Amino acid sequence: MTLSATLQKKVNGFSLDIDLRVDNELAVIFGPSGSGKSMTLQLISGLMQPDVGTISFDGSIFFDSGRGINLPARQRNIGYVFQDLALFPHLSVQDNILFGAKGLDKALKKKRLYDIVSIFHLDGLEDKFPAEISGGQKQRVALARALIRGPAVLLLDEPFSSLDTELRFTMRNFLRDVRKEFQVPIILVTHDIFEAYSLADNVIVYSNGSVVQIGKPQEVFNTQTMPDCETPLFFSYMFTRGFF
Amino acid sequence: MDSSVLFSLRLSLQVATVATVCVVITGIGIAYMLAMKKFPGKDLLDILFTLPLVLPPTVIGYYLIVLFGRNGLLGKSIYGWTGFSIMFTWYAAVLASFVVALPLMIKTARAAMESIDRNLISASYTLGHSEFDTFLKIILPLSKKGIIAGTVLAFARAMGEFGATLMIAGNIPGKTDTMPLAIYTSASSGDWSTANVMVVFFTLISGSFLYIANRFSKRLV
């Protein structure tokens, strides 16, 4: 279970040039706004095409500019949770989740729906519409929808940014449980230092379209290479105060 | 009621209905292309499909004669192959109504499609759905209000079409005299009683249609 990506992309004067390798883990791409984090997810998922590079998962090639291979997003089987969640407003919770079950046979769809509704604590909400459920419930529906098909990789683009602090904490714990349950490599994008520290198996630090550091959160946040923030000092303070 | 009045009414409804069906099918496709695709000549195509909104109907009628007249650019070939000319038939009235009503559908449907959150479309792709599937299941339902509004406007415009219809379908009693043409004929010949009946009838029918359409679209909100 390894996703490898070597990507180069220039858009409107911004240049992204990165080399990533994500195993069966929860990798967090961390960096300031405009450093190319979300663009990386769009390139990996097939929503955007790199100028040059390769993207592969366990030997399956999603993109290879040299060989002219470019699998469309729908064929990559990559789960993607957008920052605004992108729940379909005209579909019920159940239909939103089932929308992600494309290609599964009827019996399997029914079983997966039953299981996933239970795992994501969505019982009783199946017939509600996105506008009728809470922020935390919407997050769980978006995750359930992205996972029902059994994706190769799950990409999360700042999924908790719209939640209040308490709910974020709950959802972070929930995400850890989800990873244990589904055993899927996850790449989560965030500019929230707490989120990066508390969730990541490995942190990939971005700055201006490049990877400047990769490592365990404890290593990354205690060195001086962090861009654009006073992280080491800040974390020392948080440690001494017993926040972690 | 006078049988000629009933004929004009029936013909107007028939022409407007057929033209509106054609407008809906074609207009949604063109609106999708203009809203979602990037291609060379897109601005030119946009201008071309907007022109019937601003050009006088007689100019539209003139272009249609140049294109579909028996000696027209397309009409000559069609007549050569089939022996059929659309000129001065009720099909010509449908064509005229179609051309003048099409921009109304394109504008409203395109605006509705452009207002859809792009992430919803991207989400559909990442969930394994094709572009056509996404169009049917996400884009169409989420732009239904604009499409319904476009349909109502197109039907109303087709019902009231006069100038272009007169140019290519003529004003042949019992054959191509739609209600607006019949009203013009009655008024210009001093038959005010018939004109009065048709005007009131036309107004009532158009008003009822708009009322039903409004009720329907409110129920969809």
Side-chain angles (χ1 to χ4, degrees), chain A residues 47 73-74 78 80 82 84 86-90 99-100 102 145-146 149, chain B residues 117 119-120 122-131 133 137-138 141-142:
Chain A
L47 294 174
R74 66 190 165 89
I78 290 179
Y80 197 130
F82 293 80
D84 64 358
L87 294 180
F88 304 121
H90 61 299
F99 200 86
K102 172 92 176 167
R145 187 180 68 176
R149 201 159 49 127
Chain B
D117 177 0
N119 278 352
L120 295 177
S122 297
S124 175
Y125 294 153
T126 62
L127 292 167
H129 292 261
S130 65
E131 185 175 357
D133 219 16
K137 292 174 180 169
I138 305 299
L142 291 178

Side-chain angles (χ1 to χ4, degrees), chain B residues 5-221:
Chain B
V5 174
L6 279 177
F7 173 81
S8 293
L9 174 65
R10 188 184 61 76
L11 182 63
S12 278
L13 287 170
Q14 181 180 326
V15 165
T17 305
V18 175
T20 305
V21 169
C22 297
V23 162
V24 170
I25 294 166
T26 321
I28 289 174
I30 295 168
Y32 177 81
M33 293 289 290
L34 292 174
M36 304 290 170
K37 301 284 182 188
K38 286 179 186 167
F39 54 90
K42 181 176 166 177
D43 290 341
L44 205 67
L45 202 67
D46 188 21
I47 290 168
L48 183 72
F49 285 122
T50 309
L51 269 178
L53 277 181
V54 292
L55 287 176
T58 45
V59 174
I60 305 293
Y62 185 85
Y63 277 124
L64 291 176
I65 291 171
V66 169
L67 278 174
F68 294 101
R70 194 173 287 188
N71 289 311
L73 295 172
L74 295 172
K76 194 173 184 179
S77 305
I78 294 170
Y79 187 73
W81 290 330
T82 63
F84 170 77
S85 173
I86 198 170
M87 296 297 291
F88 306 115
T89 65
W90 76 274
Y91 301 110
V94 170
L95 180 65
S97 295
F98 168 77
V99 172
V100 297
L102 185 63
L104 295 166
M105 169 57 91
I106 293 174
K107 290 282 168 200
T108 48
R110 181 184 176 179
M113 288 176 190
E114 282 177 341
S115 70
I116 296 172
D117 177 0
R118 282 295 186 277
N119 278 352
L120 295 177
I121 297 164
S122 297
S124 175
Y125 294 153
T126 62
L127 292 167
H129 292 261
S130 65
E131 185 175 357
F132 186 65
D133 219 16
T134 302
F135 170 72
L136 285 183
K137 292 174 180 169
I138 305 299
I139 295 170
L140 268 188
L142 291 178
S143 48
K144 69 184 172 193
K145 276 165 71 181
I147 290 169
I148 289 168
T151 307
V152 172
L153 288 172
F155 186 83
R157 181 69 187 86
M159 276 287 280
E161 166 45 31
F162 179 83
T165 308
L166 185 64
M167 298 276 286
I168 65 163
N171 185 8
I172 306 167
K175 193 177 177 196
T176 63
D177 59 334
T178 58
M179 213 155 202
L181 294 173
I183 291 167
Y184 171 74
T185 307
S186 297
S188 57
S189 63
D191 184 2
W192 295 106
S193 58
T194 306
N196 282 340
V197 170
M198 285 195 284
V199 164
V200 170
F201 215 74
F202 196 82
T203 309
L204 284 175
I205 288 204
S206 300
S208 307
F209 178 74
L210 288 175
Y211 176 74
I212 292 165
N214 281 343
R215 288 288 300 265
F216 183 66
S217 60
K218 271 180 192 162
R219 208 184 301 166
L220 285 174
V221 176

Side-chain angles (χ1 to χ4, degrees), chain A residues 67-86:
Chain A
R67 292 158 67 184
I69 299 171
N70 183 21
L71 234 54
R74 66 190 165 89
Q75 289 176 9
R76 294 193 184 189
N77 192 23
I78 290 179
Y80 197 130
V81 176
F82 293 80
Q83 191 170 2
D84 64 358
L85 305 178

